[in-house]
């Protein structure tokens, strides 16, 4: 099973990706997680990505495509994966198409979580508060200013990715405002079609 989860920041992609990962026994490839790990480890990718991530902008297509191409080569990704946070630009979607074609792979589903924009900031603030309460470090970009920029990047650069897959007729849309369980069920139904 090879899937893409699309949706704005705070839509619940990570939550649903974790559930899909358990259900199908395939890894979640989150570019956000991989980039945060690179920043923490202080690698050259991390050093290049840090500032732009903290302010809510997008890391260059070249860097992100490179880390995904490498990650897809790992043995656990051979039988499938869930892409979370990638592709985030049309150029990334085109690069992914090329990568998959080269490997003779095809996507099984592209699912977009549709969420009311007004609910997103509240979700991010809740996540930050819960993380803090758990004694963990809050993401550097989980604050109102960076969030505004993340939403702007989403509108300008990522929303066209939905249109890209929509025009190919491969996009499935799911109501991301429902409960976590109901969203999972709706995703399962969309994938079964
Ligand atoms: P969110 O939970 O807001 O969707 P992520 O954890 O997926 O955020 O990503 C956090 C940050 O990492 C993004 O704001 C961006 O700076 C960077 N990033 C992640 N994936 C990509 C990508 N595919 N292209 C460019 N930048 C990315």
């Amino acid at each position: 099973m090879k899937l893409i989860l699309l949706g704005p920041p705070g839509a619940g992609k990570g939550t649903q990706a974790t559930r899909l990962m358990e259900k199908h026994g395939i890894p979640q490839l989150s570019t956000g997680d991989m980039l945060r790990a690179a920043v923490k480890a202080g690698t050259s990718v991390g050093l290049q990505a840090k500032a732009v991530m903290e302010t809510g902008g997008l890391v260059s297509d070249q860097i992100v495509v490179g880390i995904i191409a490498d990650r897809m080569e790992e043995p656990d990704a051979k039988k499938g994966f869930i892409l979370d946070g990638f592709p985030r630009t049309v150029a990334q979607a085109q690069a992914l198409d090329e990568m998959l074609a080269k490997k003779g792979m095809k996507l099984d589903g592209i699912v977009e979580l549709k969420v009311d924009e007004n609910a997103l900031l509240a979700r991010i603030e809740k996540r930050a508060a819960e993380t803090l309460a758990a004694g963990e470090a809050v993401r550097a970009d989980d604050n109102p200013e960076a969030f505004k920029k993340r939403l702007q990047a989403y509108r300008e650069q990522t929303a066209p990715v939905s249109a890209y897959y929509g025009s190919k007729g491969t996009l499935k849309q799911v109501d991301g405002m429902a409960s976590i369980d109901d969203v999972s069920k709706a995703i399962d139904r969309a994938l079964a079609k």
Side-chain angles (χ1 to χ4, degrees):
M1 177 86 82
K2 297 174 198 73
L3 302 177
I4 298 180
L5 284 181
L6 295 175
K13 298 186 296 291
T15 304
Q16 296 300 332
T18 307
R19 292 179 154 218
L20 287 162
M21 179 168 83
E22 282 160 11
K23 186 167 179 192
H24 298 284
I26 48 176
Q28 165 199 16
L29 312 190
S30 158
T31 42
D33 287 350
M34 291 185 242
L35 289 167
R36 278 186 289 276
V39 169
K40 203 168 166 206
T43 64
S44 78
V45 162
L47 292 174
Q48 292 175 73
K50 189 172 189 285
V52 54
M53 285 178 77
E54 278 174 1
T55 53
L58 291 189
V59 175
S60 78
D61 289 334
Q62 195 203 345
I63 289 182
V64 183
V65 169
I67 60 173
I68 279 288
D70 288 348
R71 183 62 185 84
M72 277 172 49
E73 286 302 317
E74 306 221 353
D76 67 336
K78 288 272 183 300
K79 60 174 178 165
F81 45 75
I82 304 146
L83 291 172
D84 162 11
F86 179 92
R88 237 182 178 87
T89 64
V90 171
Q92 291 177 19
Q94 287 164 339
L96 176 64
D97 278 348
E98 276 173 37
M99 260 186 256
L100 293 170
K102 262 191 215 146
K103 292 177 194 286
M105 287 180 171
K106 252 193 85 193
L107 294 167
D108 297 291
I110 299 149
V111 177
E112 179 179 26
L113 299 179
K114 301 286 286 179
V115 179
D116 177 0
E117 269 194 16
N118 296 318
L120 297 174
L121 181 59
R123 285 191 180 188
I124 297 280
E125 285 178 328
K126 184 165 170 258
R127 172 166 77 189
E130 284 168 357
T131 308
L132 205 63
E136 290 160 23
V138 174
R139 273 171 54 167
D141 61 351
D142 269 354
N143 61 69
E145 289 96 285
F147 180 75
K148 242 171 110 180
K149 197 147 171 233
R150 281 156 67 193
L151 201 54
Q152 191 189 342
Y154 174 78
R155 286 196 200 108
E156 289 170 5
Q157 291 170 272
T158 310
V161 174
S162 304
Y164 175 81
Y165 289 119
S167 70
K168 294 178 152 209
T170 43
L171 185 70
K172 297 165 203 290
Q173 292 179 321
V174 162
D175 176 15
M177 295 302 288
S179 71
I180 292 177
D181 279 344
D182 285 344
V183 174
S184 301
K185 285 181 198 147
I187 292 175
D188 290 346
R189 279 197 301 273
L191 293 176
K193 266 183 208 149

